[in-house]
Amino acid sequence: MLFKRVKPIDQIIATAEKKSLTRQLGAFQLTMLGIGAIIGTGIFVLTAEAGQKAGPGMMIAFVIAAVVCAFAALAYAELAAMVPVAGSAYTYTYGVLGEGVAWIVGWALVLEYTIAASTVCVGWAGYVNGLLAHAGFGLPHFLQAGPMDGGSFNLLACLIGLAITGLLVIGTSKSAKVNTVLVLVKIAALTAFIFVALPAVKDQNFTPFVPNGWGSPMGGIGVLGAAASIVFAYIGFDAISTAAEETKNPNRNIPIALIGSLGVCTIYYLLVSYAAVGSVGAQPMLGPNGMALEPGTPAFAAACDGSQALVCSKEALAHVVRLLNHNTIAAFIAFAAGIALPSVILTMTYGQTRIFFTMSRDGLLPSKLAKIHPRFHTPHIITLITGTFVSLFGALFPVGILADITNSGTLFAFIMVAIGVLILRRTQPDRPRPFRTPMPWVVCPLAVIGCLLLFLNLSNEAKITFFVWGAIGLVVYYLYGHRKSHLARGVEAD
């Protein structure tokens, strides 16, 4: 049933060709695009989360996550180049595995983008709360975190989510020049951190190196548990893949940009994590039984009450620099996060509305959801619904749990894309491929195995949420989309 209705790729491409784009991006522009999309909350905030799960071993976790994402990116790029249209993995799956599986992937992407935006809201709030506190304008503690994180309501996370929603309803487009400036600001902040923290590294802070071991599929702790969370720090690479239609010589430039951006970011991440661990230490907080506490739980919040440990900080990089008595640079890092991260929230929230749009265009969701505002010419209903959930999740849940939930949808989509590449290599070997995944029968299976391994090492809350969300999605599909889709009714998409 799930695999019966397949939307022909030629039909998908024909729709896209009505508005073709000019191929103008080279390898350097694509690499910068990727770096800008990748560097964000993952490194600015999840360094503390990774430290609690893996201790100093989080440096290995950054490498594991980068390798898995690189395999997935190479598979992703082939389908993005073949089907360069809106909808990301949802659209690719529709043309390979069928409508039912495409719905599941699209439903997972809704979870990914929405929760990813909430995650960045919480990360942004952590830095701004720290900046305000050290300027003498700090909010009461119960308004700085959600109930699971020792507070009641993360006010700033909620407010930034609502503010971005308002901007998207009114209508806003990101300027390429503004994006370049924000990329440079983020890189400058990371460089400043490395410059200050690296000379303070002490050998004893790396012992024990893997205090929680390599991980357990049921626990979400250890090096693999940290790697599963750190995937969030790399997922922006799909900005490169989805730019395939605008790329000159994509078979050459896409792999250069993918490997280049992942390589540059991994080097930065390793330097940042090495400097953070070596300068102030990153040993996990332990419970009464001597085992590491699960981050994002009330027990962990209680253990961190009043602690200056890196793993307890909600503004990890600024906190480290502040402990090293460089308050001005700490303020700059917090300021950089404060002005750069909202653009990521905007991108994630906007991306989720595009997934909704595409699913609505295919008849799988009510067309009224994609109604355009008469004055602002934006999909205000979808945007308001999305923004409300982004803001509430950011206000109520800790960053680590949100990141893991995001990664559950992301890893599932990566698995489906890698499988789709192999199926198309068998069923449509002669179809033009502007970019071809190198050694696909090695790269794609490794992408599937790597993503599955990391999925199993996500927190239990993330895995349960993913399957509950998926079950809800199947109910919605069979009650509405299965009967109403344009493919089922034999009508053309709008």
Side-chain angles (χ1 to χ4, degrees):
M1 182 72 72
L2 290 175
F3 301 93
K4 284 185 177 180
R5 299 178 189 161
V6 177
K7 188 173 184 179
I9 291 178
D10 290 333
Q11 182 180 335
I12 296 173
I13 295 175
T15 302
E17 286 178 346
K18 294 176 182 178
K19 292 184 178 180
S20 60
L21 299 172
T22 303
R23 295 190 180 277
Q24 57 184 348
L25 297 176
F28 177 76
Q29 292 96 324
L30 272 179
T31 302
M32 288 301 294
L33 176 68
I35 293 172
I38 292 170
I39 294 178
T41 297
I43 188 63
F44 278 95
V45 180
L46 291 180
T47 304
E49 177 88 6
Q52 177 61 19
K53 290 187 173 185
M58 67 170 151
M59 291 187 293
I60 301 174
F62 274 109
V63 176
I64 293 172
V67 171
V68 172
C69 286
F71 287 138
L74 290 171
Y76 206 106
E78 178 167 319
L79 289 189
M82 291 174 65
V83 194
V85 299
S88 185
Y90 158 76
T91 301
Y92 313 150
T93 308
Y94 210 156
V96 181
L97 297 175
E99 181 180 276
V101 179
W103 166 268
I104 296 172
V105 172
W107 196 248
L109 289 175
V110 169
L111 183 72
E112 172 192 342
Y113 280 104
T114 302
I115 304 301
S118 300
T119 307
V120 183
C121 287
V122 179
W124 178 86
Y127 274 91
V128 175
N129 273 320
L131 195 62
L132 291 175
H134 286 87
F137 301 103
L139 293 173
H141 181 69
F142 73 93
L143 292 178
Q144 294 186 29
M148 299 177 67
D149 218 11
S152 299
F153 191 86
N154 193 329
L155 180 61
L156 290 184
C158 181
L159 291 178
I160 190 62
L162 293 175
I164 295 299
T165 301
L167 285 175
L168 287 172
V169 168
I170 294 172
T172 181
S173 60
K174 284 176 60 182
S175 162
K177 292 182 179 179
V178 172
N179 184 60
T180 301
V181 171
L182 294 179
V183 171
L184 294 176
V185 167
K186 289 187 285 188
I187 291 176
L190 294 183
T191 302
F193 174 84
I194 294 167
F195 179 78
V196 169
L198 203 57
V201 168
K202 299 179 180 65
D203 290 342
Q204 60 264 33
N205 286 331
F206 293 95
T207 304
F209 190 68
V210 283
N212 300 328
W214 286 92
S216 165
M218 300 305 296
I221 293 289
V223 173
L224 290 175
S229 294
I230 286 169
V231 166
F232 190 90
Y234 290 102
I235 59 176
F237 73 76
D238 62 355
I240 297 172
S241 300
T242 53
E245 190 181 4
E246 302 171 76
T247 303
K248 295 182 292 186
N249 192 4
N251 211 43
R252 170 186 177 273
N253 290 335
I254 287 178
I256 290 175
L258 283 170
I259 303 303
S261 59
L262 285 170
V264 169
C265 292
T266 301
I267 291 170
Y268 258 101
Y269 290 177
L270 285 174
L271 287 172
V272 167
S273 58
Y274 175 81
V277 170
S279 59
V280 300
Q283 295 302 326
M285 303 296 286
L286 305 179
N289 59 358
M291 302 295 290
L293 295 167
E294 184 78 26
T297 61
F300 178 72
C304 282
D305 188 25
S307 174
Q308 293 295 307
L310 167 65
V311 299
C312 294
S313 177
K314 293 179 174 55
E315 40 159 1
L317 304 190
H319 179 68
V320 168
V321 175
R322 203 173 284 118
L323 290 178
L324 297 175
N325 297 316
H326 293 279
N327 293 329
T328 301
I329 295 179
F332 166 68
I333 292 172
F335 175 76
I339 65 169
L341 294 183
S343 69
V344 182
I345 303 171
L346 187 147
T347 300
M348 295 292 185
T349 307
Y350 178 82
Q352 201 267 296
T353 64
R354 301 315 296 168
I355 299 295
F356 261 145
F357 248 131
T358 309
M359 296 174 78
S360 178
R361 184 181 64 191
D362 290 332
L364 294 173
L365 289 172
S367 58
K368 291 182 180 179
L369 287 177
K371 185 178 180 181
I372 301 299
H373 193 281
R375 177 183 174 187
F376 301 126
H377 306 292
T378 57
H380 58 292
I381 296 176
I382 282 179
T383 303
L384 288 171
I385 292 172
T386 300
T388 298
F389 281 104
V390 166
S391 303
L392 287 177
F393 290 148
L396 298 176
F397 294 98
V399 69
I401 289 178
L402 291 173
D404 278 8
I405 293 173
T406 298
N407 293 345
S408 68
T410 303
L411 292 168
F412 175 73
F414 288 172
I415 289 171
M416 291 297 101
V417 167
I419 292 173
V421 168
L422 296 180
I423 291 176
L424 280 181
R425 285 293 184 105
R426 284 291 190 187
T427 60
Q428 301 183 42
D430 298 326
R431 177 170 290 279
R433 289 170 168 80
F435 170 76
R436 300 177 67 88
T437 302
M439 297 185 295
W441 297 100
V442 175
V443 170
C444 293
L446 286 175
V448 172
I449 293 169
C451 289
L452 184 60
L453 178 64
L454 294 184
F455 182 90
L456 292 173
N457 276 276
L458 290 169
S459 64
N460 290 330
E461 294 87 352
K463 287 180 283 193
I464 292 170
T465 301
F466 175 81
F467 286 113
V468 170
W469 177 253
I472 294 172
L474 286 176
V475 172
V476 173
Y477 173 67
Y478 281 109
L479 290 179
Y480 184 89
H482 180 66
R483 295 182 295 108
K484 298 286 189 177
S485 79
H486 292 151
L487 204 59
R489 294 187 293 150
V491 300
E492 289 289 331
D494 296 331

